[in-house]
Structure formats: C-alpha cells, structure tokens
C-alpha cells in the first residue's frame, strides 16, 4: 500500500475503502494500522475514555438471528434490574472515577420512556456525568422524553448497511427504520453512535465498505465495530465467528474516514482475542467500555457466550486500566469524553447564554 489517499476517503469512495480493507500482506496491513494510529493521535489525542456499561435487562421483544437475548431463546433465564439497583451501581461507578454511564438492555417495553427518563434524571443528579442509552428502537416522542431528562448519547448500531441482509437477520424489521431512529436521535440533540458486525452471513468486503460509508453519511459521533460471535441457542449457531484482523482493519479505516469519532475497543473483539483491547487501541480506538453490571446478572446477559466482559471487575477496574494505558504511552481521560464536534457546539451555546435541554421532569 503506497501511502493512503485521504482525499478518496473524504468522499468517501466505497471502492477505495474496500481496497484498503483487502490489505493483505503483513506489511500492507501494518502500514494501515500505523496510519490510523497517527490519525487517532492527531485528531482525538492520547486520552482514552472509559464508559461503564450497566446491562439492566436481558428481556428482548426482537428476534435478531445472531443474538442470544432474542425473544425465541427460551433457554435464557431473564432478569430486570430495579431503578434503585441501577442507581446504586451508577453511584459506585461515579465514586470510582467513571464520567459516563451506559445503560443497555434488550428491547424491553416493560420500561416506559418515562421510567427510563426517571432513571436518567437520578443518575444525572449524582454528579457531572454523561448518560448514554442503548435500549433499541423507540418512537421520536419516547426518545424526546429520554433526552429531556438529560440523556446525552444514544447507541443504536445499524448492524449492516445491506438492506436485504438486514431484513433477513431482523425478522419484520428494516434498515430504513433503523436509520430513521438514528436521524430522530440526532435531531433531538443526542450524540449518536452506530456501528456494525463483522462476519455476518453473506457479508463481503464491499458490504463493510458500505457500512463505513454509512457511518460517514450519518455523521456519527461514535461507532462500535465488533466481530460476530456465534451463540449456540440462535439460528446462526453454526456460522463461524468474524475475523479479528478484518475487524481491526475496519476499525482502522473508520478512523481514517471519521478522524474525530469516538471508537471503542469492543468487548466482542476482546472475547475473540486475548489482546483485543490493546490491538484495537493501537489501530484507531480511543474508548473502553468496561462492564460494571453486578456479577449475578452479567452472566445472564449472554448476547454471545464467554464474553470477555465476564472478567471485568465489579468495581470498574479504573486503576488497572490506567496502568495498562500508561504501559502503552496513553492516558486515562478525566473528562466526560463528549463528542469533539458537539462539545464545540455546546460551548458556543453556553457563550450565547442558551438554556440547556434538561428540566421540567416530574420525579
Ligand atoms: N438491544 C439493543 C442493545 C443491546 S444489543 C440493540 O440491539 O441495539 C448490543 C449489540 O450487541 C448489538 O447492537 C449487536 O451489534 C451486538 N450483538 C448481538 N449479538 C451478537 C453476536 N452474536 N456477536 C457479536 N455482536 C452481537
Ligand atoms: Fe434484542 Fe439487541 Fe439482541 Fe437484537 S441485538 S435480540 S434487539 S438485545
């Protein structure tokens, strides 16, 4: 690979992205990783943001073919955490140094938008902390209720940019609906995160190139890119796991296409490779999302088996992470790690004396 043509990545040129993803010989891929590491350093710096993730319910009304939480998996014992339990975990995490709490669940209608809003509001009262939601597809007005309570960010991966594959993997659902949700969230002022899975059936390098182009088109603030891991109680039980190296290449190219995005070292990658976190951090990633769910629930949140997050310490392990980062010449961020672009916008609004969105929520 004789140098990278950054102009072609700005458009972005899907054929060119696919060509980079095909980088095959060792030295070609290594030069891609070095380049994305440099771009990461120049655009988002050496700080790594940690976000504590609480998996508060494993009930799901959807039936995604790849996921262990799917509705039709009758072998899974289901649980829901109470608001008080969620607040207690958040409080400990904040005391331990976390500045972002991520609330994730299956698509569980048991929690109304107002229920989620009340939980967000209580977490925001615990300190200067950002709240990210990852609770699936809801209506514009439900998202508005969550935003008004102070939720800052929303993660909703598009999963695959191929509409036919999307339909096959998500019975009764469409990629367009997913994209509409992301647009709604953006309109409401959320920092948005999308992302996709590497190694889905019939996916090609061109599909992945379209995934990356879609991230650019959606102008995402964050993107999660992880390999598929088969779960024995799903229709994709015998489909092979995604390729670690291709995942790293997709991460690296995404860093080149979206220099200022927040890109996590995903848990799925660490599950497939012992050194996944370090490899991702050296290939463009700048975020880590440790699992802070109480251990008794964590093992039931089985999206895929043997998740690396099962061994994340319950107290959040901030000190160990700081040591690991130091050994890599990186450092733990002390900020909330808001979107680089949005941060500039909100500083501007403050300077103009504009009021924040939060307020008016009944307890
Ligand atoms: N229900 C919410 C959030 C929880 S699922 C939602 O779907 O948005 C979080 C992510 O887990 C999904 O976005 C999907 O990309 C990932 N996931 C599910 N099953 C997986 C598997 N078998 N291998 C890898 N990633 C998987
Ligand atoms: Fe439910 Fe999310 Fe799993 Fe799909 S990926 S089955 S929506 S938890």
């Amino acid at each position: 690979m004789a140098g990278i043509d950054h102009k072609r990545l700005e458009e972005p040129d899907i054929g060119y992205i696919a060509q980079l993803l095909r980088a095959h010989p060792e030295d070609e891929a290594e030069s891609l990783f070095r380049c994305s590491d440099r771009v990461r350093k120049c655009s988002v710096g050496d700080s790594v943001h940690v976000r504590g993730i609480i998996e508060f319910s494993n009930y799901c009304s959807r039936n995604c073919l790849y996921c262990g939480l799917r509705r039709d998996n009758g072998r899974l014992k289901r649980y829901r955490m109470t608001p008080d339990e969620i607040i207690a975990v958040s409080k400990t995490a904040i005391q331990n140094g976390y500045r972002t709490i991520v609330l994730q669940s299956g698509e569980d209608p048991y929690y109304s938008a107002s229920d989620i809003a009340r939980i967000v509001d209580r977490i925001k009262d615990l300190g200067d902390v950002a709240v990210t939601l990852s609770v699936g597809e809801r209506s514009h007005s439900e998202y508005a209720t969550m935003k008004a309570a102070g939720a800052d960010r929303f993660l909703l991966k598009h999963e695959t940019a191929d509409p036919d594959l999307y339909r096959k993997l998500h019975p009764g659902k469409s990629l367009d609906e997913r994209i509409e949700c992301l647009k709604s969230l953006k309109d409401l002022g959320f920092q948005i995160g999308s992302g996709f899975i590497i190694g889905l059936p019939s996916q090609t390098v061109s599909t992945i190139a379209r995934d990356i182009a879609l991230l650019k088109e959606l102008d995402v603030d964050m993107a999660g890119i992880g390999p598929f891991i088969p779960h024995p109680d799903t229709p994709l039980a015998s489909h092979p796991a995604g390729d670690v190296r291709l995942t790293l290449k997709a991460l690296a190219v995404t860093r080149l296409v979206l220099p200022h995005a927040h890109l996590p070292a995903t848990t799925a990658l660490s599950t497939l490779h012992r050194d996944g976190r370090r490899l991702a951090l050296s290939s463009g990633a700048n975020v880590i999302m440790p699992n802070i769910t109480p251990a008794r629930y964590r093992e039931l949140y089985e999206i895929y088996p043997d998740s690396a997050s099962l061994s994340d310490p319950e107290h959040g392990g901030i000190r160990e992470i700081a040591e690991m980062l130091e050994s890599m010449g990186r450092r733990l961020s002390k900020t909330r790690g808001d979107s680089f672009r949005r941060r500039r916008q909100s500083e501007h609004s403050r300077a103009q004396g504009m009021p924040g969105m939060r307020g008016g929520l009944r307890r």
Side-chain angles (χ1 to χ4, degrees):
M1 191 179 306
I4 284 169
D5 185 346
H6 290 271
K7 230 32 284 93
R8 292 177 75 184
L9 288 172
E10 265 166 41
E11 299 161 16
D13 175 337
I14 291 176
Y16 184 57
I17 294 179
Q19 190 184 319
L20 291 179
L21 291 170
R22 284 193 193 97
H24 187 56
E26 207 63 10
D27 53 336
E28 266 190 14
E30 287 314 316
S31 90
L32 171 64
F33 297 143
R34 269 198 308 277
C35 182
S36 68
D37 198 40
R38 268 200 312 272
V39 169
R40 184 271 308 152
K41 192 178 172 74
C42 295
S43 315
V44 299
D46 284 332
S47 293
V48 173
H49 305 283
V50 287
R51 331 273 204 202
I53 179 160
I54 305 175
E55 299 159 338
F56 67 94
S57 161
N58 70 350
Y59 280 85
C60 192
S61 56
R62 290 178 62 133
N63 234 346
C64 309
L65 262 57
Y66 44 79
C67 178
L69 306 194
R70 66 199 303 272
R71 186 183 66 218
D72 287 356
N73 179 10
R75 297 170 71 113
L76 185 66
K77 185 174 163 227
R78 307 278 172 168
Y79 73 90
R80 288 186 180 109
M81 287 173 68
T82 65
D84 284 348
E85 283 178 303
I86 298 169
I87 300 308
V89 173
S90 305
K91 195 170 177 182
T92 309
I94 294 164
Q95 280 163 354
N96 286 331
Y98 279 88
R99 303 286 313 274
T100 295
I101 301 295
V102 183
L103 299 180
Q104 193 180 79
S105 67
E107 275 194 21
D108 184 1
Y110 173 87
Y111 300 90
S112 68
S114 312
D115 292 336
I116 293 173
R118 270 188 289 273
I119 295 167
V120 171
D121 191 51
R122 286 177 67 187
I123 297 176
K124 298 293 286 189
D125 274 348
L126 296 173
D128 180 18
V129 63
V131 176
T132 303
L133 295 174
S134 178
V135 298
E137 293 182 25
R138 298 270 181 145
S139 67
H140 185 87
S141 71
E142 288 174 291
Y143 286 148
T145 301
M146 299 175 197
K147 185 76 187 81
D152 302 272
R153 312 179 189 140
F154 205 105
L155 294 179
L156 188 77
K157 296 199 208 173
H158 69 259
E159 316 293 2
T160 176
D162 174 339
D164 295 331
L165 178 57
Y166 187 97
R167 203 174 284 282
K168 283 184 197 136
L169 294 172
H170 307 98
K173 308 284 176 182
S174 77
L175 178 61
D176 281 348
E177 289 163 356
R178 196 81 169 168
I179 291 175
E180 276 315 304
C181 285
L182 283 160
K183 289 186 174 158
S184 260
L185 290 161
K186 200 179 176 83
D187 286 349
L188 287 165
F190 280 96
Q191 297 168 40
I192 59 162
S194 186
F196 54 91
I197 305 178
I198 300 279
L200 294 169
S202 85
Q203 182 188 56
T204 65
V205 161
S206 301
T207 325
I208 300 172
R210 280 157 62 198
D211 281 316
I212 296 174
L214 181 55
L215 294 178
K216 173 92 175 173
E217 193 185 316
L218 292 168
D219 193 22
V220 297
D221 301 287
M222 328 166 253
I225 300 163
F228 164 73
I229 301 174
H231 186 296
D233 301 320
T234 64
L236 296 189
S238 55
H239 188 74
D243 184 81
V244 167
R245 209 163 161 77
L246 182 56
T247 307
L248 288 170
K249 286 197 265 185
L251 171 66
V253 177
T254 302
R255 172 57 72 204
L256 302 181
V257 172
L258 290 161
H260 292 94
H262 285 303
L263 303 179
T266 53
T267 306
L269 190 66
S270 298
T271 302
L272 288 188
H273 195 292
R274 207 162 32 92
D275 223 12
R277 205 173 248 179
R278 276 172 187 272
L279 288 169
L281 288 172
S282 309
S283 311
N286 71 321
V287 171
I288 302 178
M289 297 173 70
N291 194 337
I292 55 170
T293 311
R296 64 183 180 285
Y297 296 128
R298 204 182 280 197
E299 57 198 39
L300 299 174
Y301 198 81
E302 202 187 50
I303 283 177
Y304 46 77
D306 303 322
S307 168
S309 77
L310 290 175
S311 57
D312 285 344
E314 257 185 327
H315 59 75
I318 287 259
R319 195 178 319 144
E320 294 83 344
I321 291 169
E323 281 165 15
M324 187 267 288
L325 293 174
E326 211 164 300
S327 75
M328 298 179 69
R330 304 280 280 277
R331 61 176 171 271
L332 190 73
S333 164
K334 299 246 184 320
T335 73
R336 296 178 3 154
D338 284 305
S339 165
F340 283 87
R341 203 160 19 88
R342 301 294 166 96
R343 196 160 58 203
R344 281 200 294 273
Q345 273 172 10
S346 71
E347 274 159 13
H348 177 73
S349 332
R350 266 203 306 281
Q352 309 279 310
M354 281 160 67
M357 295 244 344
R358 191 176 174 218
L361 190 82
R362 263 184 296 116
R363 302 261 170 97

